[in-house]
Amino acid sequence: MPVSATMGVMKPLLGKLATLAGDEYSKLKGVRKQASFLEKELSAMNAALEKMELMDELDPVAKDWRDRVREMSYDMDNCIDDFIRQFGGAPAKAGFIKETVRHLKTLGQRHRIADRMEELKVLALEANERRIRYKIDECNSSSSFVAIDPRMSAIYVDAAGLVGTDGPRKELVNLLTDTEKKLKVVSIVGFGGLGKTTLAKQVYDEIKGRFNCMAFLPISQKPNMTWILNRLQLKLGMHGSSSACELQDLIEDLRKHLTNNRYLIVVDDLWDQSVWNAISRAFPENDKGSRVIVTTRVEDVASGACCSHPGSIYRMNFLDEQDSKRLFYNRIYGSEDDCPSRFEDISAEILKKCGGLPLAIITISSLLASRPEMDEWEAIRNSLGTQFAINPTTEGIKSILNLSYMHLPLHLRACFLHVGMYPEDREIERDDLVRQWVAEGFINNLYGQDMEVAAKSYFNELINRSLIQPERTDHGELLSCRVHVYMI
Ligand SMILES: Nc1ncnc2c1ncn2[C@@H]1O[C@H](COP(=O)(O)OP(=O)(O)OP(=O)(O)O)[C@@H](O)[C@H]1O
Ligand SMILES: [Mg+2]
C-alpha cells in the first residue's frame, strides 16, 4: 500500500488494528481490547494527520507532533507485524486464531503482547492529549482567508516599491520623448527575470498620456501571429472594425488605423527576428512622433528591431548589492531597516546566490517571508546553488524558482499547475481561475468557507509566494495575474 510522507504507515496500521479488534479475535480478550482502544485513539490522530497533509506550513509544534506520531505508528506497526508473523502468517489463514491462542497460552506470551500493547496505549494517549492541548488540528494557515500580503502589494501596486528603476526609467523616458518626428524603436534587452517587462510597463504608464493610440502587447516564445494581431486590434479599440483573419489583411487594417495616429506600442518579450519582421509591418512611418518599445532577452533581436527604424538599445543590468538588499528586506520585513541583526549574515549569503536577479530575489524572499525560524533559512540557503551568481543561466534560475514550488503545500499545487496551462506572460483573470479551480475540484472546503472565497484565498497565497505575479488592480483589489515563463 502506498504511504505518504505525512501519513506514514497510519492507514495500513489502522486496518491491522481493526482486524485484531474484530470478532475473529474474540478469544484473545486482552489483545483485542487493547487493539480496539488503540484503533480509536489512532483514528483521531489519523484525522489530524489527514488535515495536516492539506495544510500550509506547519508550525514547529505541529511538525514535532506529526513526526512523533509517525514514529509511534511505525513502532506499533512493527509490534503488530511481529505478533502476526510469530503466530502463523496472515490472520485470515484458516485455523490461525485457534493456533495463536494455543501458542499464547502455552508460551505464556499473551501477557507480553498485552504488556507491549499497554505501553503503546500510554504513548497513544499522550500523543492525543498533546494534540488537544496544543490545538494541533487548528494551527492551519489555510483555515482562514489569506489576504494578499501588504508587503507584497507595496512592491507591485506602488511603483515606489520597485527598486533601482528610477535611473533606467528616466533614461528610457528621455529616449522616447525627444522631439524626433520619425517613428522610433527602443529595445530593452537583458537576461530573463531582470525586470524588462516591469520597466517597460512603468515607462509605458508614464508616457502614454502623450499619445493618442496605445497598446501593451505580450508576445511570448511561440506566438500565433493571427491571434496576436487580433489582440492588438482589440487593444487599439479597433474591434468590430476588422473582420480579417488573414495575416496580410490584419496588418493592412492595423496600418490604416495607425497611420493617422501618434501611437505608442510595447512589444513585450520578443524572441525571434522573423516575428518582429511580421509585426513591424503593421507600424507605419507617419512622422507624428510615434514610438515602439521592444523587450527581449536576445541581443540580435534587440538590434534587429532598432535597425529597421531609428532607435536605441537599452541594456538592463543586474541589481547591485544595495538594491538587492532593499528588495529582499522590503518583501520580508516591509522595510529595509527591520531585519533582525542575527538574520543579516544569512540574508547576505542568500542574496549572493540570487546574483542580483529581481525574479530570484522576489521569489526567495517571498518563500522566507512566512518562515521566522533560522533553521528554515539555513535549509533554503543550502538548497540554493552557487553557480547562478557566477554564471547566470536559464537552468540556474529555474532551479532557484523550483525551490518555491517544492515548498508549495499540496492543496495549492494543483491550482498552480493549472495556471501553468495558460500561455506565458498572458494576463489571467482571477475570477476565471477561481471558477475553474472550483469546477475542477481543486478547492477544499474543509473549513466550511464558501468555495469561491476559499479559491480567492488560494489565489492570494500563490501571489504571496510569488508563483504568480499581480497584474491589474481596481480600488486596491487584485483582479488579474500573469505567470512568469520561468515558472511554467
Ligand atoms: N526593479 C525591481 N524591483 C522589484 N521587483 C522587480 C524589479 N524588476 C523586476 N521585478 C520583479 O521581478 C520579476 C521579473 O520581472 P519581469 O517579468 O519584468 O522580468 P523580465 O525581464 O521581463 O523577464 P523575461 O525576460 O522572462 O520576460 C517580477 O516579479 C517583477 O515584479
Ligand atoms: Mg518579460
Side-chain angles (χ1 to χ4, degrees):
M1 187 176 305
V3 291
S4 77
T6 310
M7 306 297 293
V9 289
M10 195 55 114
K11 285 227 166 103
L13 173 59
L14 276 169
K16 289 174 196 170
L17 284 170
T19 312
L20 278 182
D23 284 344
E24 43 186 321
Y25 285 86
S26 57
K27 296 245 166 57
L28 292 171
K29 280 210 181 70
V31 173
R32 193 179 174 222
K33 217 168 125 201
Q34 306 285 35
S36 161
F37 180 89
L38 282 176
E39 191 201 349
K40 286 195 193 91
E41 289 295 304
L42 258 62
S43 294
M45 289 189 250
N46 183 50
L49 286 177
E50 276 180 354
K51 267 190 191 176
M52 281 181 173
E53 215 174 22
L54 298 168
M55 282 180 188
D56 196 350
E57 295 107 29
L58 296 173
D59 74 18
V61 177
K63 248 190 217 157
D64 180 60
W65 182 84
R66 180 199 60 193
D67 294 345
R68 281 168 196 253
V69 167
R70 201 159 38 191
E71 243 171 64
M72 184 185 73
S73 67
Y74 280 109
D75 278 355
M76 284 187 190
D77 197 55
N78 284 338
C79 171
I80 307 274
D81 281 350
D82 284 351
F83 170 67
I84 290 170
R85 210 174 304 117
Q86 206 169 350
F87 299 107
K93 219 168 142 187
F96 163 72
I97 306 292
K98 229 173 164 183
E99 190 62 6
T100 303
V101 175
R102 195 177 61 78
H103 267 289
L104 288 175
K105 275 182 182 154
T106 52
L107 300 173
Q109 288 193 329
R110 189 171 175 169
H111 287 298
R112 250 178 280 159
I113 291 286
D115 285 352
R116 183 78 186 108
M117 288 265 203
E118 186 65 36
E119 282 168 30
L120 294 174
K121 182 177 141 186
V122 173
L123 289 177
L125 268 173
E126 276 175 10
N128 250 346
E129 272 168 19
R130 285 209 308 140
R131 177 178 63 80
I132 296 161
R133 193 161 62 240
Y134 298 127
K135 299 189 172 59
I136 299 283
D137 317 40
E138 292 163 33
C139 53
N140 173 11
S141 65
S142 304
S143 62
S144 53
F145 186 81
V146 177
I148 291 186
D149 189 334
R151 295 165 298 181
M152 185 58 120
S153 330
I155 289 171
Y156 286 98
V157 179
D158 182 4
L162 297 172
V163 303
T165 50
D166 281 355
R169 186 174 42 83
K170 278 187 194 137
E171 201 173 320
L172 279 165
V173 168
N174 286 341
L175 275 172
L176 289 157
T177 55
D178 60 3
T179 53
E180 174 63 60
K181 286 281 174 221
K182 282 194 174 316
L183 169 65
K184 186 168 168 180
V185 180
V186 172
S187 301
I188 305 176
V189 62
F191 192 81
L194 262 185
K196 301 178 293 294
T197 302
T198 308
L199 181 61
K201 229 174 232 157
Q202 266 204 303
V203 171
Y204 174 78
D205 285 341
E206 185 168 332
I207 63 174
K208 65 184 179 197
R210 305 171 188 223
F211 298 80
N212 55 2
C213 197
M214 68 290 272
F216 195 104
L217 189 66
I219 302 291
S220 86
Q221 207 156 354
K222 292 188 189 106
N224 170 338
M225 287 307 294
T226 316
W227 190 87
I228 285 194
L229 294 179
N230 265 309
R231 288 288 300 167
L232 181 57
Q233 291 199 347
L234 271 174
K235 287 181 180 230
L236 292 169
M238 293 169 63
H239 47 290
S241 61
S242 166
S243 54
C245 50
E246 289 298 320
L247 203 60
Q248 193 50 42
D249 297 338
L250 285 164
I251 289 173
E252 270 315 310
D253 288 348
L254 279 160
R255 279 188 80 83
K256 256 188 242 156
H257 181 82
L258 292 172
T259 298
N260 297 319
N261 283 301
R262 178 164 202 233
Y263 60 89
L264 170 67
I265 293 168
V266 179
V267 179
D268 183 41
D269 205 15
L270 191 63
W271 284 79
D272 205 311
Q273 183 67 38
S274 64
V275 174
W276 170 253
N277 293 343
I279 290 187
S280 60
R281 283 194 281 139
F283 304 149
E285 178 57 78
N286 61 4
D287 284 326
K288 288 188 184 304
S290 297
R291 299 288 183 257
V292 173
I293 305 173
V294 169
T295 82
T296 176
R297 292 188 202 168
V298 189
E299 184 75 35
D300 287 350
V301 172
S303 45
C306 289
C307 78
S308 55
H309 301 276
S312 329
I313 301 183
Y314 182 83
R315 289 187 179 78
M316 285 204 74
N317 288 317
F318 288 85
L319 295 181
D320 63 21
E321 202 180 316
Q322 200 54 41
D323 283 337
S324 298
K325 218 159 119 182
R326 191 171 302 145
L327 179 57
F328 187 77
Y329 286 163
N330 279 348
R331 173 63 189 98
I332 300 178
Y333 302 109
S335 120
E336 210 187 337
D337 309 316
D338 286 345
C339 175
S341 53
R342 65 194 185 93
F343 280 96
E344 280 175 8
D345 288 346
I346 192 160
S347 298
E349 288 175 56
I350 291 173
L351 275 174
K352 203 164 174 198
K353 293 183 173 188
C354 292
L357 189 77
L359 180 64
I361 297 171
I362 198 95
T363 307
I364 297 299
S365 51
S366 297
L367 189 57
L368 293 167
S370 55
R371 289 163 212 271
E373 301 297 326
M374 178 60 92
D375 57 353
E376 293 185 291
W377 282 52
E378 284 167 354
I380 286 171
R381 175 200 58 197
N382 296 343
S383 318
L384 288 165
T386 47
Q387 270 309 305
F388 181 74
I390 303 162
N391 176 27
T393 59
T394 301
E395 287 318 306
I397 176 67
K398 280 191 172 168
S399 76
I400 293 181
L401 304 185
N402 192 37
L403 265 185
S404 195
Y405 178 73
M406 298 307 287
H407 284 84
L408 198 61
L410 286 180
H411 70 276
L412 292 177
R413 285 195 182 182
C415 297
F416 176 65
L417 293 175
H418 171 259
V419 176
M421 285 171 18
Y422 282 82
E424 64 211 47
D425 269 337
R426 170 89 50 86
E427 181 174 355
I428 312 169
E429 296 296 326
R430 178 198 60 183
D431 290 348
D432 284 350
L433 283 180
V434 160
R435 272 192 295 275
Q436 288 175 46
W437 292 347
V438 171
E440 295 280 354
F442 295 159
I443 310 298
N444 282 292
N445 66 344
L446 267 182
Y447 308 99
Q449 280 169 346
D450 176 309
M451 290 286 225
E452 294 211 347
V453 174
K456 282 181 187 167
S457 169
Y458 283 27
F459 176 87
N460 293 346
E461 283 194 66
L462 290 179
I463 291 280
N464 288 344
R465 290 166 178 273
S466 230
L467 283 157
I468 54 177
Q469 298 170 9
E471 187 71 17
R472 203 178 71 258
T473 49
D474 186 26
H475 294 93
E477 191 182 356
L478 182 62
L479 299 179
S480 68
C481 70
R482 70 184 167 108
V483 57
H484 195 276
V485 59
Y486 280 151
M487 290 290 184
I488 53 182

